[in-house]
Amino acid sequence: MKIVKASEVGEYAIEKMLTKASFDEVELSPKIREANKKTFGRDMTAAELVRQIVGDVRREGDAAVIRYTHLIDRVDYKPEDFLVTEAEYEAAEKAADPAVVESLRKAAENVRRYHQEQKPNSWMTYREKGSILGQSIIPLDRVGIYVPGGTAAYPSSVIMNAVPASVAGVGEIIMMVPPKNGKINPYVLIAARAAGVKKIYKIGGAQAIAAMAFGTETIPRVDKITGPGNIFVTLAKKEVYGHVDIDMLAGPSEILIVADKTADPVYTAADMLSQAEHDPLASSIVITDDAELAEKVAKEAEKQLAALPRREIAQASIDRNGLIVVADDMMQAMRFANVSAPEHMELLTAQPFQLLPYVRHAGAVFLGAYSPEPLGDYFAGPNHVLPTGGTARYYSVLNVETFMKRTSIISYTQPALSDVSEDIIRLAETEGLQAHANAIRIRREQK
Ligand SMILES: NC(=O)c1ccc[n+]([C@@H]2O[C@H](COP(=O)([O-])OP(=O)(O)OC[C@H]3O[C@@H](n4cnc5c(N)ncnc54)[C@H](O)[C@@H]3O)[C@@H](O)[C@H]2O)c1
Ligand SMILES: N[C@H](CO)Cc1c[nH]c[nH+]1
Ligand SMILES: [Zn+2]
């Protein structure tokens, strides 16, 4: 694990290390790039490949979905195979361990409770002479949620997307999840059905995002796409944005831990690896003012990593994006943390609430030794779909409002309009928009 000291390399160098490349610039590993070259016949960046997939699905519909699912996910389909059938649900229920189903139920309940508290209400207010202003909050008609499933199955992500959508009152929720040998993890299906997802398509990657954005012969076009995914999924969401809304760019997972000398190196290393094991492109960073802790965490991470079933992924992630920064003091540590704008920020310090006011950019903050990141991934209630790649500078965590939109309400009486008509006419004429002025003037003259 790389350890760098601000006192040696300077603040600017550290900030550069912590500033993430944009998703389009993320480089694939030589291994993946070589494999893709074989599959697609030419060397492409991830962004170029995704653009091609999205364009093809838009033009060709189901045929392109079938082609890319064959080429990338190695599954051969006819369009009628996309949708999960009743028999597949029944098989999932039979195969499921009741203890896991019960834990999922509890997790979903916590997520529902938390999100119910977020639900905004429509409102109206009375103003002068009987006029009324307000705001209607309207759930979206149809959303498409993406549940990742390339190297791990994510029933927890089903809950994190579908439960807030259902709390918001979305008309129809459809879901895409990549097939593993043509099959979907049983808990993903069970969690989806429990949360009210009506249609589940066994399609993954950029082709799934494009199919939901543009619609195909068999897949309905949605109004908004939400959910996390790897670099291909995230780039595809970026590519289709504007044709359809998206929640955010929720790509490969990230953790940044701000730790002082009181942090336990064993906990700190474990929390780093919890995100490293998601993806070779995941990122795990520790920032501390204690050089001794830095050394201990690096050693401990090496030890714990060797015992992980997903060590190949975690090692690749640590080699690429693992970093321990020794800051001059805790205030500098917080400045560095905000430059990184991580998906998850842990404050493993003696007084974490004292640092909270200094957190400017983070998808979620975890305070203290007993709030490890996986608590939020699975169970506490707040959402685990969070902005990555530095986009926590401007994006928020997925929430109930992600699935709703706001419409303004304006109702004036004739006396109320007459009172303000001079101002409106003046402003319209200043903009040279006579028809606007006329629409006001004729109503005033009716008086
Ligand atoms: N930010 C968040 O909120 C959040 C939450 C949960 C998970 N995640 C992230 O989700 C991701 C899950 O990744 P995953 O890969 O397991 O599942 P995934 O479903 O995101 O991606 C799998 C799909 O990617 C496509 N793909 C894979 N390799 C490809 C290639 N070489 N070329 C073109 N397309 C390819 C395939 O179509 C495959 O179906 C991880 O990066 C994890 O960190 C993020
Ligand atoms: N840490 C992920 C968000 O980056 C969410 C997750 C789901 N399951 C486990 N982890
Ligand atoms: Zn996780």
Side-chain angles (χ1 to χ4, degrees):
M1 177 98 60
K2 208 186 322 163
I3 302 181
V4 289
K5 293 188 177 158
S7 58
E8 287 171 6
V9 301
E11 203 162 303
Y12 179 72
I14 303 273
E15 288 188 2
K16 278 214 102 138
M17 284 178 216
L18 294 171
T19 305
K20 289 154 192 157
S22 85
F23 286 103
D24 303 80
E25 291 162 357
V26 168
E27 289 212 13
L28 296 173
S29 70
K31 202 170 132 201
I32 294 184
R33 202 145 175 177
E34 200 43 48
N36 277 6
K37 198 170 151 188
K38 267 198 200 132
T39 308
F40 301 106
R42 67 187 175 103
D43 192 19
M44 280 182 280
T45 64
E48 287 164 343
L49 171 57
V50 164
R51 220 166 289 136
Q52 174 180 313
I53 297 173
V54 169
D56 286 356
V57 172
R58 184 178 186 186
R59 275 187 304 276
E60 301 170 40
D62 285 343
V65 173
I66 289 170
R67 187 165 71 250
Y68 285 111
T69 302
H70 164 78
L71 285 172
I72 303 169
D73 292 306
R74 307 273 168 216
V75 177
D76 288 314
Y77 274 153
K78 294 187 203 62
E80 56 271 28
D81 302 327
F82 292 161
L83 208 52
V84 170
T85 62
E86 199 48 46
E88 286 173 285
Y89 282 117
E90 282 165 19
E93 266 160 20
K94 264 197 201 133
D97 174 349
V100 178
V101 175
E102 178 56 12
S103 295
L104 280 172
R105 191 197 60 73
K106 287 187 198 159
E109 182 51 35
N110 291 348
V111 172
R112 187 172 290 276
R113 248 178 73 193
Y114 181 86
H115 287 78
Q116 235 139 15
E117 287 180 36
Q118 295 178 338
K119 193 174 176 181
N121 291 313
S122 299
W123 55 269
M124 280 193 215
T125 183
Y126 291 94
R127 289 284 163 86
E128 294 76 19
K129 300 197 173 162
S131 54
I132 296 171
L133 297 178
Q135 193 168 255
S136 285
I137 314 257
I138 303 167
L140 300 180
D141 285 345
R142 185 190 288 135
V143 301
I145 65 180
Y146 185 84
V147 171
T151 72
Y154 287 94
S156 57
S157 297
V158 175
I159 292 172
M160 294 294 178
N161 281 278
V163 169
S166 120
V167 170
V170 166
E172 186 185 3
I173 309 167
I174 72 164
M175 183 173 122
M176 295 271 165
V177 56
K180 277 265 178 101
N181 305 318
K183 294 201 169 61
I184 305 295
N185 175 284
Y187 302 109
V188 165
L189 298 186
I190 289 168
R193 182 159 268 199
V197 178
K198 290 286 175 277
K199 288 179 184 152
I200 304 174
Y201 297 89
K202 295 172 279 181
I203 304 168
Q207 55 277 20
I209 301 297
M212 291 194 281
F214 299 109
T216 71
E217 298 89 324
T218 61
I219 298 161
R221 186 164 77 102
V222 303
D223 301 309
K224 184 161 185 168
I225 297 172
T226 70
N230 64 14
I231 186 71
F232 304 102
V233 170
T234 307
L235 283 168
K237 282 171 71 183
K238 194 162 174 276
E239 184 70 17
V240 301
Y241 174 66
H243 297 282
V244 69
D245 193 16
I246 62 165
D247 51 351
M248 71 186 92
L249 301 174
S253 303
E254 303 168 348
I255 187 164
L256 185 147
I257 304 168
V258 176
D260 66 10
K261 65 172 193 277
T262 66
D264 182 330
V266 179
Y267 291 4
T268 311
D271 296 359
M272 281 184 98
L273 295 175
S274 77
Q275 297 311 284
E277 77 168 345
H278 273 293
D279 191 311
L281 296 180
S283 136
S284 310
I285 297 170
V286 170
I287 306 182
T288 178
D289 62 347
D290 183 26
E292 239 175 76
L293 180 83
E295 294 291 344
K296 284 186 194 157
V297 171
K299 271 209 193 89
E300 184 59 33
E302 226 170 88
K303 191 170 123 200
Q304 292 186 24
L305 206 158
L308 288 177
R310 285 167 70 90
R311 66 182 160 277
E312 214 181 302
I313 295 177
Q315 184 73 61
S317 154
I318 293 292
D319 289 348
R320 185 184 173 117
N321 291 325
L323 180 65
I324 303 181
V325 174
V326 181
D328 297 341
D329 53 51
M330 290 309 279
M331 282 302 100
Q332 188 187 49
M334 289 311 295
R335 281 202 301 281
F336 287 155
N338 286 317
V339 168
S340 177
E343 179 192 13
H344 307 102
M345 192 187 294
E346 280 189 7
L347 303 177
L348 290 183
T349 59
Q351 301 291 341
F353 276 92
Q354 287 184 359
L355 290 184
L356 189 56
Y358 298 97
V359 176
R360 301 282 313 144
H361 306 298
V365 189
F366 298 75
L367 292 93
Y370 297 98
S371 316
E373 193 277 347
L375 170 68
D377 276 353
Y378 292 108
F379 216 73
N383 212 283
H384 83 199
V385 182
L386 295 157
T388 67
T391 62
R393 276 161 40 242
Y394 45 86
Y395 277 134
S396 303
V397 53
L398 188 135
N399 61 83
V400 172
E401 278 201 62
T402 306
F403 297 99
M404 307 180 103
K405 57 201 177 71
R406 294 168 184 264
T407 297
S408 302
I409 298 167
I410 302 163
S411 170
Y412 268 49
T413 57
Q414 203 273 340
L417 182 65
S418 281
D419 275 6
V420 296
S421 55
E422 270 315 308
D423 289 315
I424 301 171
I425 290 166
R426 193 174 298 122
L427 291 171
E429 288 177 348
T430 301
E431 292 189 350
L433 300 176
Q434 195 55 52
H436 287 63
N438 289 347
I440 302 295
R441 191 172 279 117
I442 52 171
R443 288 175 168 81
R444 188 184 56 181
E445 281 160 5
Q446 269 173 11
K447 206 161 44 164

